[in-house]
């Protein structure tokens, strides 16, 4: 007769992981401190030129010419900003810049979205070659194409008009096309197939499905294009007369003495006011801008 002995199995007590010790916490805090220090230093380097521009706009002319350098103004000259505003038709030139920038930014964003949609969702012979040529065109400096472009606009009678910015906007921009192409390439194919089954054409698919989904890239592209046009100096200087020119040209050419020397404190004050609209636009659209730049190219 065989006797079976029952063996009692004692369940193992789960091992609770040890909490990080004091040394680990100190290490984490030190790494965070180093990271925050680096971020503060980099932020200071980025904001340093703008801060120096503001300080220069608050100085007198003798303080700017003093040696050694006066780092801070002895008496803040707030009237420099008022003088910079009234010495030229600041609002008139700002209106010209706003018109040009809005025309270009709106048209180039929409046209780049349409071209990017074509590269991302349509199949055609030579598409990769054309896309490579498009990317290669980004390496061409503006000065190479500006002179022949000026000759074309002069032949067409478009000098001293805003039509060049309309045509540039309708022609799309290679960098923005690349952004939209990367974004649209990551969208599910099922959306497009379902719309095709329902009888939708590709323009309707782009307008009703893809374009509403791409608002982060639309915001990023609009801010980038607006900044390009607002900060452009060469094209308005070459194509527009002094009455229709933009604020960037007016600031660089109007704050001068009778002898032709620049008045640097007024130039700095006007430049600060010139930058403010770009900062406001970025603050308003920063969520879409950051989202568009971070999600572009991710599938």
């Amino acid at each position: 007769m065989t006797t079976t002995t029952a063996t009692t199995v004692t369940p193992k007590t789960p091992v609770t992981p040890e909490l990080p010790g004091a040394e680990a916490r100190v290490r984490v805090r030190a790494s965070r401190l180093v990271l925050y220090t680096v971020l503060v230093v980099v932020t200071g380097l980025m904001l340093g030129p703008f801060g120096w521009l503001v300080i220069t706009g608050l100085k007198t002319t003798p303080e700017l010419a003093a040696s050694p350098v006066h780092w801070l103004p002895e008496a803040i000259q707030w009237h420099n900003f008022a003088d910079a505003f009234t010495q030229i038709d600041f609002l008139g030139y700002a209106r010209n810049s706003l018109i040009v920038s809005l025309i270009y930014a709106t048209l180039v964003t929409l046209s780049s979205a349409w071209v990017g949609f074509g590269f991302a969702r349509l199949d055609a012979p030579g598409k990769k070659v054309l896309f490579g040529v498009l990317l290669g065109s980004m390496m061409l400096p503006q000065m190479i194409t500006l002179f022949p472009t000026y000759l074309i606009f002069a032949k067409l009678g478009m000098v001293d008009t805003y039509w060049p910015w309309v045509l540039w906007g309708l022609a799309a921009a290679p960098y923005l096309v690349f952004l939209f192409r990367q974004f649209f390439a990551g969208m599910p194919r099922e959306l497009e197939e379902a719309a095709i089954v329902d009888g939708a054409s590709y323009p309707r698919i782009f307008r009703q499905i893809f374009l509403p989904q791409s608002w982060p890239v639309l915001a990023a592209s609009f801010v980038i294009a607006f900044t390009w046009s607002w900060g452009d100096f060469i094209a308005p200087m070459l194509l527009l007369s002094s009455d229709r020119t933009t604020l960037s040209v007016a600031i660089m050419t109007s704050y001068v003495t009778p002898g032709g020397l620049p008045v640097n404190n007024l130039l700095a004050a006007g430049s600060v006011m010139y930058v403010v609209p770009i900062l406001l636009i970025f603050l308003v659209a920063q969520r879409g801008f950051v989202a568009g730049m971070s999600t572009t190219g991710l599938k």
Side-chain angles (χ1 to χ4, degrees):
M1 182 176 181
T2 305
T3 305
T4 303
T5 306
T7 304
T8 305
V9 179
T10 305
K12 295 182 179 181
T13 304
V15 179
T16 304
E18 297 182 0
L19 296 176
E23 183 178 352
R25 290 195 294 268
V26 170
R27 194 182 305 115
V28 171
R29 291 175 182 174
S31 61
R32 290 181 177 177
L33 179 61
V34 172
L35 177 61
Y36 293 154
T37 302
V38 172
L39 292 177
V40 169
V41 171
V42 172
T43 303
L45 292 176
M46 295 295 180
L47 295 179
F50 182 73
W52 183 250
L53 188 67
V54 175
I55 293 175
T56 302
L58 297 174
K59 291 181 178 180
T60 61
T61 301
E63 286 177 333
L64 294 177
S67 181
V69 177
H70 287 192
W71 295 101
L72 296 175
E74 295 180 0
I76 296 178
Q77 307 295 317
W78 293 110
H79 64 85
N80 286 342
F81 288 88
D83 294 342
F85 189 83
T86 57
Q87 184 167 317
I88 64 175
D89 186 11
F90 200 93
L91 290 180
Y93 291 125
R95 182 184 64 250
N96 296 341
S97 293
L98 185 62
I99 293 173
V100 168
S101 300
L102 286 178
I103 290 174
Y104 176 75
T106 303
L107 293 178
V108 80
T109 298
L110 295 177
S111 60
S112 300
W114 177 240
V115 177
F117 173 79
F119 277 115
R121 313 305 291 197
L122 302 180
D123 295 324
K127 184 179 73 171
K128 293 183 178 180
V129 176
L130 288 176
F131 189 66
V133 172
L134 179 75
L135 296 181
S137 65
M138 290 193 296
M139 294 185 289
L140 291 175
Q142 183 187 13
M143 295 301 298
I144 293 179
T145 59
L146 189 59
F147 184 69
T149 302
Y150 172 80
L151 294 179
I152 293 174
F153 291 146
K155 291 289 185 180
L156 296 176
M158 294 183 180
V159 176
D160 200 21
T161 68
Y162 296 149
W163 277 106
W165 283 265
V166 175
L167 298 181
W168 281 328
L170 294 175
Y175 178 68
L176 301 184
V177 171
F178 174 76
L179 290 183
F180 280 104
R181 188 263 180 189
Q182 295 301 99
F183 182 83
F184 289 145
M187 295 185 67
R189 180 67 66 176
E190 290 76 13
L191 293 174
E192 179 182 343
E193 294 175 349
I196 293 175
V197 170
D198 290 339
S201 61
Y202 274 103
R204 183 180 175 186
I205 293 173
F206 168 74
R207 185 178 66 254
Q208 296 186 355
I209 298 178
F210 281 79
L211 200 60
Q213 297 292 329
S214 62
W215 69 266
V217 189
L218 288 172
S221 300
F222 183 85
V223 172
I224 293 173
F226 190 93
T227 304
W228 286 346
S229 182
W230 184 271
D232 189 15
F233 173 81
I234 299 177
M237 184 71 178
L238 188 63
L239 296 172
L240 299 177
S241 63
S242 58
D243 295 332
R244 301 174 63 88
T245 193
T246 58
L247 187 58
S248 60
V249 177
I251 288 177
M252 292 300 298
T253 58
S254 299
Y255 298 123
V256 294
T257 63
L261 297 177
V263 183
N264 290 324
N265 51 359
L266 296 186
L267 181 61
S271 299
V272 171
M273 294 187 290
Y274 169 72
V275 174
V276 168
I278 295 295
L279 296 178
L280 293 178
I281 291 176
F282 178 76
L283 291 176
V284 172
Q286 63 174 331
R287 179 175 298 180
F289 180 83
V290 174
M293 297 304 293
S294 62
T295 58
T296 299
L298 299 180
K299 293 188 178 181

